[in-house]
């Protein structure tokens, strides 16, 4: 296909919709208007340009999340009348990239990878789009709300094109009070409204395109961390930059033996394991432009932080991704630390502290 670089998104969308899936699976040949080149390098460039175009704010399809480096569908994308066709096309492009083992230059929010995989979102995923709101949900879960007089019901006010509308979380929600007994259901339903229901047509259109090339049964073999690496590749991680831009709390400092062992272990990890550690603590495999000094948390710039936790036998490290914090038990020796850290990274000890 001969494409003009300036209208590549629209012309590629047209070409892909006219072509048969079987043809596209066999191979892609791209030539840019006025240029001689063909072959693998040009196809690579096509995927590069398209991945930048998919998140181009002019189309209004995707919106940048709070961390400034990841994207998720824009709940108000219907300002673009063609938005669902474009979401389907974006899904086809990512499906094709995966099918032909091409990497794309986009990182999505953790919740959007979950949507691609058909995995339910949880309240911690809210922190990527509204860190304050996520903290409020965490507070509701952590505290007894029986006598606080919050007067919450199973309906919430939400922004629809700049106007606030009351939306029930379930039938008759406005007359159901939130109590200590049903608060977990409330938090889950609020999360699903913010993260899924608000962008359900966009998700469905995207998946319709994506599943053209990658069937659900195949993609469900992966988790959201593996999917990010499959689509966007393995980033290079500079351990010295990481070490220079880390803070310590709850009793640890740079000179502490446990911290010395920790950095020895990080230096000995494979690049893939370092990415797993970064994902485990920050929720993303991506280091911001400029390095670890520019790592973002829920409330703005937030350095990578290691916090001390009293040691008990077999205790695994855990993390709080919205504040980029690794909760590292005070292990008695280097080998215990390495062993427990690797178990946590490879088994994903979210919410599990023992193994």
């Amino acid at each position: 296909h001969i494409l003009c670089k300036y209208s590549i998104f629209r012309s590629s969308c047209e070409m892909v919709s006219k072509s048969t899936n079987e043809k596209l699976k066999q191979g892609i040949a791209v030539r840019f208007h006025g240029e001689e080149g063909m072959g693998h390098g040009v196809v690579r460039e096509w995927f590069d340009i398209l991945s930048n175009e998919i998140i181009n704010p002019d189309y209004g399809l995707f919106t940048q999340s709070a961390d400034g480096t990841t994207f998720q569908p824009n709940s108000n994308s219907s300002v673009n009348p063609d938005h669902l066709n474009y979401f389907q096309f974006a899904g086809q492009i990512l499906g094709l990239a995966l099918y032909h083992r091409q990497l794309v230059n986009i990182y999505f929010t953790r919740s959007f990878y979950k949507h691609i995989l058909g995995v339910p979102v949880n309240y911690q995923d809210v922190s990527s789009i509204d860190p304050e709101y996520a903290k409020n949900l965490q507070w509701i879960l952590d505290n007894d709300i029986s006598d606080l007089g919050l007067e919450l019901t199973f309906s919430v006010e939400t922004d629809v094109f700049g106007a606030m509308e009351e939306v029930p979380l379930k039938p008759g929600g406005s007359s159901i009070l939130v109590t200590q007994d049903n608060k977990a259901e409330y938090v889950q339903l609020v999360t699903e409204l913010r993260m899924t229901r608000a962008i359900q047509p966009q998700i469905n259109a995207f998946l319709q395109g994506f599943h053209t090339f990658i069937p659900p049964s195949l993609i469900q073999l992966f988790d959201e961390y593996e999917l990010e690496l499959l689509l966007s590749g393995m980033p290079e991680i500079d351990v010295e930059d990481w070490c220079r831009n880390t803070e310590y709390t709850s009793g640890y400092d740079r000179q502490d033996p446990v911290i010395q062992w920790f950095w020895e272990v990080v230096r000995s990890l494979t690049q893939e394991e370092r990415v797993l550690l970064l994902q485990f603590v920050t929720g993303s495999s991506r280091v911001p432009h400029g390095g670890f000094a520019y790592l973002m948390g829920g409330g703005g710039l937030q350095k990578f932080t290691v916090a001390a936790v009293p040691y008990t036998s077999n205790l695994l490290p855990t993390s709080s991704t919205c504040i980029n914090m690794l909760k590292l038990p005070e292990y008695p020796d280097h080998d215990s630390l390495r062993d427990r850290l690797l178990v946590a990274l490879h088994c994903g000890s979210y919410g599990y502290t023992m193994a």
Side-chain angles (χ1 to χ4, degrees):
H1 300 316
I2 300 177
L3 302 168
C4 169
K5 279 190 183 178
Y6 298 105
S7 62
I8 189 166
F9 191 77
R10 288 188 180 85
S11 54
S12 297
C13 187
E14 249 171 68
M15 293 288 189
V16 167
S17 64
K18 281 180 191 164
S19 191
T20 67
N21 298 338
E22 287 317 307
K23 255 189 181 171
L24 289 165
K25 282 180 176 178
Q26 280 164 15
I28 301 166
V30 175
R31 199 162 93 227
F32 291 119
H33 197 68
E35 292 185 16
E36 286 305 303
M38 290 272 293
H40 187 79
V42 181
V43 172
R44 162 76 262 142
E45 191 183 355
W46 183 64
F47 276 111
D48 260 356
I49 294 170
L50 277 179
S51 26
N52 288 326
E53 285 293 283
I54 285 167
I55 54 174
N56 180 338
D58 292 348
Y59 296 109
L61 300 180
F62 286 87
T63 182
Q64 210 170 41
S65 66
D67 67 10
T69 63
T70 56
F71 290 84
Q72 94 142 25
N74 178 1
S75 56
N76 292 333
S77 64
S78 60
V79 294
N80 179 339
D82 273 336
H83 75 131
L84 293 181
N85 286 336
Y86 284 160
F87 269 108
Q88 187 175 342
F89 173 59
Q92 286 176 305
I93 289 307
L94 285 165
L96 267 176
L98 208 46
Y99 190 88
H100 288 295
R101 298 181 185 179
Q102 293 280 353
L103 296 174
V104 294
N105 193 21
I106 321 173
Y107 289 81
F108 295 108
T109 54
R110 188 72 44 236
S111 56
F112 190 57
Y113 290 122
K114 287 182 174 181
H115 290 138
I116 296 174
L117 296 168
V119 173
V121 292
N122 64 37
Y123 71 96
Q124 289 165 320
D125 296 318
V126 177
S127 63
S128 67
I129 60 163
D130 192 337
E132 259 327 290
Y133 201 65
K135 278 184 197 162
N136 294 343
L137 295 179
Q138 178 81 61
W139 190 91
I140 289 170
L141 289 176
D142 290 347
N143 293 278
D144 187 335
I145 63 165
S146 306
D147 307 317
L148 293 175
L150 290 176
E151 296 301 313
L152 289 173
T153 66
F154 273 75
S155 74
V156 291
E157 278 209 339
T158 191
D159 181 347
V160 181
F161 294 111
M164 296 308 282
E165 281 183 23
E166 190 77 16
V167 177
L169 295 172
K170 60 184 192 177
S174 55
S175 54
I176 304 170
L177 279 174
V178 178
T179 65
Q180 186 63 14
D181 290 336
N182 65 18
K183 68 179 186 181
E185 182 194 7
Y186 169 79
V187 166
Q188 185 58 27
L189 289 175
V190 163
T191 297
E192 285 170 13
L193 175 69
R194 292 292 295 268
M195 307 305 291
T196 309
R197 272 173 63 187
I199 51 171
Q200 196 68 62
Q202 292 89 328
I203 294 167
N204 292 348
F206 180 92
L207 289 177
Q208 201 180 338
F210 188 78
H211 291 154
T212 312
F213 303 105
I214 307 290
S217 55
L218 191 62
I219 203 68
Q220 282 157 4
L221 299 172
F222 303 101
D223 66 21
E224 62 270 28
Y225 298 96
E226 292 163 332
L227 178 59
E228 179 178 56
L229 296 179
L230 279 173
L231 282 169
S232 303
M234 185 78 68
E236 281 296 313
I237 293 179
D238 180 343
V239 176
E240 300 318 311
D241 177 50
W242 193 350
C243 186
R244 276 195 306 275
N245 288 291
T246 293
E247 293 174 349
Y248 305 95
T249 185
S250 309
Y252 279 149
D253 62 47
R254 182 76 190 81
Q255 265 45 63
D256 203 291
V258 179
I259 297 303
Q260 304 278 340
W261 297 331
F262 171 72
W263 288 113
E264 283 169 22
V265 169
V266 175
R267 287 186 182 93
S268 72
L269 295 177
T270 64
Q271 194 69 337
E272 190 172 355
E273 287 165 337
R274 289 174 193 166
V275 169
L276 286 176
L277 174 60
L278 183 63
Q279 285 179 331
F280 181 71
V281 181
T282 69
S284 173
S285 65
R286 182 157 188 160
V287 181
H289 295 297
F292 280 89
Y294 297 94
L295 210 55
M296 300 294 283
L301 282 174
Q302 174 66 63
K303 291 269 178 81
F304 188 93
T305 306
V306 185
V309 175
Y311 170 75
T312 56
S313 181
N314 285 339
L315 191 65
L316 293 178
T318 56
S319 64
S320 292
T321 54
C322 52
I323 52 172
N324 298 335
M325 181 180 283
L326 175 65
K327 296 168 183 173
L328 187 67
E330 298 169 72
Y331 291 109
D333 54 68
H334 175 283
D335 290 352
S336 305
L337 188 153
R338 180 183 173 82
D339 175 65
R340 300 287 85 193
L341 184 65
L342 286 171
V343 169
L345 297 188
H346 288 290
C347 303
S349 73
Y350 299 94
Y352 305 101
T353 53
M354 308 297 277

